[in-house]
Coordinates of all heavy atoms in Angstrom, one line a residue:
T1 N 40.4 60.8 -106.5 CA 39.9 62.0 -105.9 C 41.0 62.7 -105.2 O 41.8 62.1 -104.4 CB 38.8 61.7 -104.9 OG1 37.8 60.9 -105.5 CG2 38.2 62.9 -104.3
R2 N 41.1 64.0 -105.4 CA 42.1 64.8 -104.7 C 41.7 65.2 -103.3 O 40.6 65.7 -103.1 CB 42.4 66.1 -105.5 CG 43.1 65.8 -106.9 CD 43.2 67.1 -107.7 NE 44.2 68.0 -107.2 CZ 44.6 69.1 -107.8 NH1 44.1 69.4 -109.0 NH2 45.4 69.9 -107.2
R3 N 42.5 64.8 -102.3 CA 42.1 65.0 -100.9 C 43.3 65.6 -100.2 O 44.5 65.3 -100.5 CB 41.8 63.7 -100.2 CG 40.6 62.9 -100.9 CD 39.3 63.6 -100.6 NE 39.0 63.7 -99.1 CZ 38.5 62.7 -98.4 NH1 38.2 61.5 -99.0 NH2 38.2 62.9 -97.1
T4 N 43.1 66.4 -99.2 CA 44.2 66.9 -98.3 C 44.4 65.9 -97.2 O 43.5 65.2 -96.8 CB 43.8 68.3 -97.8 OG1 42.7 68.2 -96.9 CG2 43.5 69.3 -98.9
A5 N 45.6 66.0 -96.6 CA 45.9 65.2 -95.4 C 44.9 65.5 -94.2 O 44.4 64.7 -93.5 CB 47.3 65.5 -94.9
E6 N 44.6 66.8 -94.1 CA 43.7 67.2 -93.0 C 42.3 66.6 -93.2 O 41.7 66.1 -92.2 CB 43.5 68.7 -93.0 CG 44.7 69.5 -92.5 CD 45.7 69.8 -93.7 OE1 45.5 69.3 -94.8 OE2 46.7 70.6 -93.4
E7 N 41.8 66.5 -94.4 CA 40.5 65.9 -94.7 C 40.5 64.4 -94.3 O 39.6 63.9 -93.7 CB 40.1 66.1 -96.2 CG 39.8 67.5 -96.6 CD 39.6 67.7 -98.0 OE1 40.1 66.8 -98.8 OE2 39.1 68.7 -98.5
L8 N 41.6 63.8 -94.7 CA 41.6 62.3 -94.5 C 41.8 62.0 -93.0 O 41.1 61.1 -92.5 CB 42.8 61.7 -95.2 CG 42.6 61.7 -96.8 CD1 44.0 61.3 -97.4 CD2 41.5 60.8 -97.2
I9 N 42.6 62.8 -92.3 CA 42.7 62.5 -90.8 C 41.4 62.8 -90.1 O 40.9 62.0 -89.2 CB 43.8 63.5 -90.2 CG1 45.2 63.1 -90.8 CG2 43.8 63.4 -88.7 CD1 45.6 61.7 -90.4
A10 N 40.7 63.9 -90.5 CA 39.4 64.2 -89.9 C 38.4 63.0 -90.2 O 37.6 62.7 -89.3 CB 38.8 65.5 -90.5
Q11 N 38.4 62.5 -91.4 CA 37.5 61.4 -91.7 C 37.9 60.1 -90.9 O 37.0 59.5 -90.4 CB 37.5 61.1 -93.2 CG 36.6 60.0 -93.6 CD 36.6 59.7 -95.1 OE1 37.3 60.5 -95.9 NE2 35.9 58.7 -95.6
A12 N 39.1 59.9 -90.8 CA 39.6 58.7 -90.1 C 39.2 58.7 -88.7 O 38.8 57.7 -88.1 CB 41.1 58.5 -90.3
K13 N 39.3 59.9 -88.0 CA 39.1 60.0 -86.6 C 37.6 59.7 -86.2 O 37.4 59.3 -85.1 CB 39.5 61.4 -86.1 CG 41.0 61.6 -86.0 CD 41.3 63.1 -85.8 CE 40.7 63.6 -84.5 NZ 41.1 65.1 -84.3
K14 N 36.7 59.7 -87.2 CA 35.3 59.4 -86.9 C 35.2 57.9 -86.6 O 34.3 57.5 -85.9 CB 34.5 59.7 -88.1 CG 34.4 61.2 -88.5 CD 33.6 61.4 -89.7 CE 33.5 62.9 -90.1 NZ 32.7 63.1 -91.3
Y15 N 36.2 57.1 -87.0 CA 36.1 55.7 -86.8 C 37.1 55.2 -85.7 O 37.2 54.0 -85.4 CB 36.5 54.9 -88.1 CG 35.5 55.3 -89.2 CD1 35.8 56.3 -90.1 CD2 34.4 54.6 -89.4 CE1 34.9 56.6 -91.1 CE2 33.5 54.9 -90.4 CZ 33.8 55.9 -91.3 OH 32.9 56.3 -92.3
R16 N 37.7 56.2 -85.0 CA 38.7 55.9 -84.0 C 38.1 55.0 -82.8 O 38.8 54.1 -82.3 CB 39.3 57.1 -83.4 CG 40.6 56.9 -82.6 CD 41.3 58.2 -82.4 NE 42.6 58.0 -81.8 CZ 43.6 58.9 -81.7 NH1 43.3 60.1 -82.1 NH2 44.7 58.6 -81.2
P17 N 36.9 55.2 -82.4 CA 36.3 54.3 -81.3 C 36.4 52.8 -81.6 O 36.4 52.0 -80.7 CB 34.9 54.8 -81.2 CG 34.9 56.2 -81.7 CD 35.9 56.2 -82.8
Y18 N 36.5 52.5 -82.9 CA 36.5 51.1 -83.3 C 37.9 50.5 -83.3 O 38.0 49.3 -83.5 CB 35.8 50.9 -84.6 CG 34.4 51.4 -84.7 CD1 34.1 52.7 -85.2 CD2 33.3 50.6 -84.2 CE1 32.8 53.1 -85.2 CE2 32.0 51.1 -84.2 CZ 31.8 52.4 -84.7 OH 30.5 52.8 -84.8
W19 N 38.9 51.3 -83.3 CA 40.3 50.8 -83.5 C 40.8 50.1 -82.3 O 41.7 49.2 -82.4 CB 41.2 52.0 -83.8 CG 40.9 52.7 -85.1 CD1 40.1 52.3 -86.0 CD2 41.4 54.0 -85.5 NE1 40.0 53.2 -87.1 CE2 40.8 54.2 -86.7 CE3 42.3 54.9 -84.9 CZ2 41.1 55.4 -87.5 CZ3 42.6 56.0 -85.6 CH2 42.0 56.3 -86.9
G20 N 40.3 50.3 -81.1 CA 40.9 49.7 -79.9 C 42.3 50.1 -79.7 O 42.7 51.2 -80.0
E21 N 43.1 49.2 -79.1 CA 44.5 49.6 -78.7 C 45.4 49.4 -79.8 O 46.5 50.0 -79.8 CB 44.9 48.6 -77.6 CG 44.0 48.7 -76.4 CD 44.7 49.3 -75.1 OE1 45.9 49.2 -75.1 OE2 44.0 49.8 -74.3
T22 N 45.1 48.6 -80.9 CA 46.1 48.3 -81.9 C 45.8 48.9 -83.3 O 46.7 48.8 -84.2 CB 46.3 46.8 -82.0 OG1 45.0 46.2 -82.4 CG2 46.8 46.2 -80.7
G23 N 44.6 49.4 -83.5 CA 44.2 49.8 -84.8 C 44.8 51.2 -85.2 O 45.6 51.8 -84.5
G24 N 44.4 51.7 -86.4 CA 44.9 53.0 -86.8 C 44.7 53.2 -88.3 O 43.7 52.7 -88.9
I25 N 45.7 53.8 -88.9 CA 45.6 54.2 -90.4 C 46.6 53.3 -91.1 O 47.8 53.3 -90.7 CB 45.8 55.7 -90.6 CG1 44.7 56.5 -90.1 CG2 46.1 55.9 -92.1 CD1 44.9 58.0 -90.2
T26 N 46.2 52.7 -92.2 CA 47.1 52.1 -93.2 C 47.0 52.8 -94.5 O 45.9 53.1 -95.0 CB 46.8 50.6 -93.4 OG1 47.0 49.9 -92.1 CG2 47.6 50.0 -94.5
V27 N 48.1 53.1 -95.2 CA 48.1 53.6 -96.5 C 48.6 52.6 -97.5 O 49.7 52.1 -97.3 CB 48.9 55.0 -96.6 CG1 48.8 55.5 -98.1 CG2 48.3 56.0 -95.7
S28 N 47.8 52.3 -98.5 CA 48.1 51.3 -99.5 C 48.0 51.9 -100.9 O 48.0 53.1 -101.0 CB 47.2 50.0 -99.3 OG 47.6 49.0 -100.1
G29 N 47.9 51.0 -101.9 CA 47.7 51.6 -103.2 C 47.1 50.5 -104.2 O 46.4 49.6 -103.8
G30 N 47.6 50.7 -105.4 CA 48.7 51.5 -105.9 C 50.0 51.3 -105.1 O 50.2 50.3 -104.4
E31 N 50.8 52.2 -105.3 CA 52.1 52.3 -104.6 C 52.2 53.7 -103.9 O 52.5 54.7 -104.6 CB 53.3 52.1 -105.6 CG 54.6 52.3 -105.0 CD 54.8 51.5 -103.7 OE1 54.9 50.3 -103.7 OE2 54.9 52.2 -102.6
P32 N 52.0 53.7 -102.6 CA 52.0 55.0 -101.9 C 53.3 55.8 -102.0 O 53.2 57.0 -101.9 CB 51.8 54.5 -100.4 CG 51.1 53.2 -100.5 CD 51.7 52.5 -101.7
L33 N 54.4 55.1 -102.2 CA 55.7 55.8 -102.3 C 55.8 56.7 -103.5 O 56.7 57.6 -103.5 CB 56.9 54.9 -102.2 CG 57.1 54.1 -100.9 CD1 58.3 53.2 -101.0 CD2 57.2 55.1 -99.7
L34 N 54.9 56.6 -104.4 CA 54.9 57.5 -105.6 C 54.3 58.9 -105.2 O 54.5 59.8 -105.9 CB 54.1 56.9 -106.7 CG 54.7 55.7 -107.4 CD1 53.8 55.2 -108.6 CD2 56.1 56.1 -108.0
Q35 N 53.7 58.9 -104.0 CA 53.2 60.2 -103.5 C 53.8 60.4 -102.1 O 53.1 60.7 -101.1 CB 51.6 60.2 -103.4 CG 50.9 60.0 -104.7 CD 49.4 60.2 -104.6 OE1 49.0 61.3 -104.2 NE2 48.7 59.3 -105.0
I36 N 55.1 60.3 -102.1 CA 55.8 60.2 -100.8 C 55.7 61.5 -99.9 O 55.6 61.5 -98.7 CB 57.3 59.9 -101.0 CG1 57.9 59.5 -99.6 CG2 58.1 60.9 -101.7 CD1 59.3 58.9 -99.7
E37 N 55.7 62.7 -100.6 CA 55.6 63.9 -99.8 C 54.2 64.1 -99.2 O 54.1 64.4 -98.0 CB 55.9 65.1 -100.7 CG 57.4 65.1 -101.1 CD 57.7 66.4 -102.0 OE1 56.7 67.1 -102.4 OE2 58.9 66.6 -102.3
F38 N 53.2 63.7 -99.9 CA 51.8 63.8 -99.4 C 51.7 62.7 -98.3 O 51.1 63.0 -97.2 CB 50.8 63.5 -100.5 CG 49.4 63.3 -100.0 CD1 48.7 64.4 -99.5 CD2 48.8 62.1 -99.9 CE1 47.4 64.3 -99.1 CE2 47.5 61.9 -99.4 CZ 46.8 63.0 -99.0
L39 N 52.2 61.5 -98.5 CA 52.2 60.4 -97.5 C 52.8 60.9 -96.2 O 52.3 60.6 -95.1 CB 52.8 59.2 -98.1 CG 53.0 58.0 -97.2 CD1 51.6 57.5 -96.8 CD2 53.8 56.9 -97.9
T40 N 54.0 61.5 -96.3 CA 54.7 62.0 -95.1 C 53.9 63.0 -94.4 O 53.8 62.9 -93.1 CB 56.0 62.6 -95.5 OG1 56.8 61.6 -96.2 CG2 56.8 63.1 -94.3
E41 N 53.2 63.9 -95.1 CA 52.4 64.9 -94.4 C 51.2 64.2 -93.7 O 50.9 64.6 -92.6 CB 51.9 66.0 -95.4 CG 51.0 67.0 -94.8 CD 50.5 68.1 -95.7 OE1 51.3 68.4 -96.7 OE2 49.4 68.6 -95.6
L42 N 50.6 63.3 -94.4 CA 49.5 62.5 -93.8 C 49.9 61.8 -92.5 O 49.3 61.9 -91.5 CB 49.0 61.5 -94.8 CG 47.8 60.6 -94.4 CD1 46.6 61.4 -94.0 CD2 47.5 59.6 -95.4
F43 N 51.1 61.1 -92.6 CA 51.5 60.3 -91.4 C 52.0 61.3 -90.3 O 51.8 61.0 -89.1 CB 52.6 59.4 -91.8 CG 52.2 58.1 -92.3 CD1 50.8 57.8 -92.6 CD2 53.1 57.0 -92.6 CE1 50.4 56.6 -93.1 CE2 52.6 55.8 -93.1 CZ 51.3 55.6 -93.3
Q44 N 52.6 62.4 -90.6 CA 53.0 63.3 -89.6 C 51.8 63.8 -88.8 O 51.8 63.9 -87.6 CB 53.7 64.5 -90.2 CG 54.2 65.5 -89.2 CD 55.1 66.6 -89.9 OE1 55.2 66.7 -91.1 NE2 55.6 67.5 -89.0
K45 N 50.7 64.2 -89.5 CA 49.5 64.6 -88.9 C 48.8 63.5 -88.1 O 48.3 63.8 -87.0 CB 48.5 65.2 -89.9 CG 49.0 66.5 -90.6 CD 48.0 67.1 -91.5 CE 48.6 68.4 -92.1 NZ 48.9 69.4 -91.1
A46 N 48.9 62.3 -88.6 CA 48.4 61.1 -87.8 C 49.1 61.0 -86.5 O 48.5 60.8 -85.4 CB 48.5 59.9 -88.7
K47 N 50.5 61.1 -86.5 CA 51.2 60.9 -85.3 C 51.0 62.0 -84.3 O 51.0 61.8 -83.1 CB 52.7 60.8 -85.6 CG 53.1 59.6 -86.5 CD 52.5 58.3 -86.0 CE 53.0 57.9 -84.6 NZ 52.3 56.7 -84.1
E48 N 50.7 63.2 -84.8 CA 50.3 64.3 -83.9 C 49.0 64.0 -83.2 O 48.8 64.6 -82.1 CB 50.2 65.6 -84.8 CG 51.5 66.2 -85.3 CD 51.3 67.3 -86.3 OE1 50.1 67.7 -86.6 OE2 52.3 67.9 -86.8

């Protein structure tokens, strides 16, 4: 499914109350580095 980084971050944040102090977002695959530019945008928005 084609998704934007904004959509994924918005979806992820719904579960943020469950993450506690150490949780967050993991990107796996497949091989995520094959979509490195999209991955970078996603992680940049996550860090923001």
Side-chain angles (χ1 to χ4, degrees):
T1 304
R2 294 174 67 174
R3 302 285 302 275
T4 66
E6 290 88 350
E7 290 171 343
L8 291 171
I9 294 297
Q11 183 179 353
K13 286 170 61 179
K14 296 177 181 178
Y15 300 91
R16 195 167 191 168
Y18 302 98
W19 295 348
E21 302 245 335
T22 59
I25 291 176
T26 296
V27 178
S28 185
E31 174 48 68
L33 292 179
L34 290 179
Q35 299 191 55
I36 191 168
E37 293 181 352
F38 173 74
L39 176 61
T40 301
E41 181 178 325
L42 176 65
F43 275 9
Q44 182 175 2
K45 293 184 180 301
K47 297 313 297 177
E48 289 171 359

